[in-house]
Amino acid sequence: MAGSRRPFTPLRNLNAKIAAVPMILTVLVVFIGCTLWTVVYSFTSSRSLPTLDFVGMDQYVRLFRTSRWTVSLKNLAIFGVLSLSFSLVLGFILAALMDQKIRFENTFRTIFLYPHALSFIVTGLVWQWILTPAYGVQKVVRDLGFETFNFPILTDGRFTIYAIVIAGLWQGTGLVMALMLAGLRNIDDEIWKAARVDGIPAWKTYLFIIIPMMRPVFITTLVIISATIVKVYDLVVALTNGGPGISSEVPAKYVYDLMFSRGNLGQGLAASTIMLTTVLIILVPWALLEFRPRYRKGEASK
């Protein structure tokens, strides 16, 4: 019957589809379009302005022969491994302590999470003041009578990257704690009761029961931290500006300097493409793990 005919499928939820058009265009033009533009022009000899003078892989070869880029990758690896490891461990320990229903929990949670509300510029300037030998930690300790104490973490190029790690951990660990605490609060109390009845120590309960159950939380946290690590820029600029020399250079700062200070668009875009590839290496496995179809045992046995 004519009255029972279903509406033409493309016209269903038409208002919602119209409302989604601006976001779809943004994704297509800004994200996908600009990404493709970056990749294409990374194979050109573009300088201050983009040109379609293709030079193959020359920009990439030149990029990996540049000592500044090599130092940037090394620093990113150090910053990434240390930030990822310590933020996950410290964040989980803080969350486990907060999950004990302690007094003034809201106050402590606010204190730990507050640094994340600050911009990286503010964090960098604060820690620059704390770590500068002239009026920071070194001066305070020397004023206490330890006149031979040295803490050249900002002035010695061998240790500067670790200053950035410290500042990054101070700002980011609170967010990890909040994510972990949310995951712990979703654990059924019956699991804890069963573990106590069976006489399982608390550390074994966390290690072999709780942490495996929090796998989605850990994966999400890992992706958030990893994306922040790859694009770290303003913290470095505010804290060390890549110095002394190029000792604390990172890829994002290298890209900015090449493209906007030195007018070397082609090599800057090549470096950007490498950073994009790094992010994809992180995101693609996560997407495959999280969004792969999960089959029930009954369906798998058919």
Side-chain angles (χ1 to χ4, degrees):
M1 295 176 62
S4 62
R5 290 172 58 187
R6 293 183 178 180
F8 185 48
T9 303
L11 297 180
R12 296 181 64 184
N13 300 322
L14 185 59
N15 291 337
K17 292 176 180 178
I18 292 175
V21 168
M23 183 55 65
I24 294 173
L25 292 176
T26 301
V27 170
L28 291 177
V29 176
V30 177
F31 293 105
I32 298 177
C34 291
T35 298
L36 293 175
W37 186 91
T38 298
V39 174
V40 169
Y41 279 90
S42 69
F43 294 99
T44 69
S45 61
S46 300
R47 300 294 295 182
S48 298
L49 295 174
T51 60
L52 284 174
D53 180 21
F54 289 98
V55 292
M57 299 294 292
D58 286 359
Q59 296 287 9
Y60 292 90
V61 173
R62 191 178 300 113
L63 179 67
F64 282 95
R65 288 178 179 174
T66 305
S67 60
R68 187 180 174 189
W69 176 250
T70 306
V71 171
S72 298
L73 293 179
K74 177 184 174 183
N75 286 336
L76 185 65
I78 295 172
F79 179 76
V81 171
L82 294 180
S83 297
L84 201 59
S85 304
F86 281 101
S87 62
L88 285 174
V89 172
L90 293 176
F92 183 81
I93 291 174
L94 288 173
L97 294 174
M98 297 284 288
D99 194 41
Q100 305 306 311
K101 308 299 189 294
I102 61 175
R103 295 180 63 184
F104 307 111
E105 176 187 331
N106 290 336
T107 302
F108 285 113
R109 189 165 53 198
T110 302
I111 292 172
F112 288 130
L113 193 56
Y114 175 74
H116 186 71
L118 302 176
S119 69
F120 275 120
I121 294 293
V122 174
T123 298
L125 293 176
V126 168
W127 279 93
Q128 185 187 72
W129 180 84
I130 293 173
L131 300 176
T132 297
Y135 42 81
V137 174
Q138 179 173 300
K139 185 178 186 303
V140 171
V141 175
R142 286 187 178 185
D143 289 343
L144 293 175
F146 301 93
E147 296 182 358
T148 59
F149 177 79
N150 286 317
F151 193 59
I153 193 168
L154 280 185
T155 56
D156 191 330
R158 296 173 298 173
F159 308 118
T160 313
I161 188 64
Y162 301 107
I164 299 173
V165 171
I166 292 171
L169 287 174
W170 179 79
Q171 179 163 13
T173 302
L175 174 64
V176 177
M177 179 213 68
L179 294 171
M180 295 295 175
L181 184 60
L184 287 171
R185 291 286 161 85
N186 285 327
I187 301 296
D188 195 341
D189 288 339
E190 296 299 322
I191 294 175
W192 288 106
K193 293 177 182 178
R196 294 191 191 98
V197 170
D198 292 338
I200 302 175
W203 69 271
K204 283 190 175 180
T205 305
Y206 277 113
L207 191 60
F208 298 108
I209 300 176
I210 303 301
I211 291 179
M213 293 180 65
M214 291 176 60
R215 174 179 164 274
V217 177
F218 274 93
I219 292 177
T220 301
T221 306
L222 180 67
V223 171
I224 293 173
I225 298 173
S226 300
T228 304
I229 288 169
V230 172
K231 65 182 183 181
V232 63
Y233 169 77
D234 34 8
L235 178 62
V236 177
V237 172
L239 184 56
T240 66
N241 199 29
I246 60 171
S247 59
S248 59
E249 195 76 24
V250 290
K253 185 176 180 300
Y254 179 88
V255 170
Y256 182 89
D257 289 347
L258 260 290
M259 293 179 65
F260 300 105
S261 298
R262 299 190 179 186
N264 194 341
L265 193 62
Q267 190 164 146
L269 293 176
S272 299
T273 304
I274 297 296
M275 292 178 63
L276 172 65
T277 304
T278 305
V279 173
L280 291 178
I281 290 173
I282 297 169
L283 291 180
V284 170
W286 168 76
L288 292 176
L289 286 172
E290 285 300 297
F291 300 109
R292 65 181 177 181
R294 293 178 173 84
Y295 300 99
R296 297 178 180 176
K297 292 182 179 179
E299 293 176 352
S301 61
K302 290 182 179 180

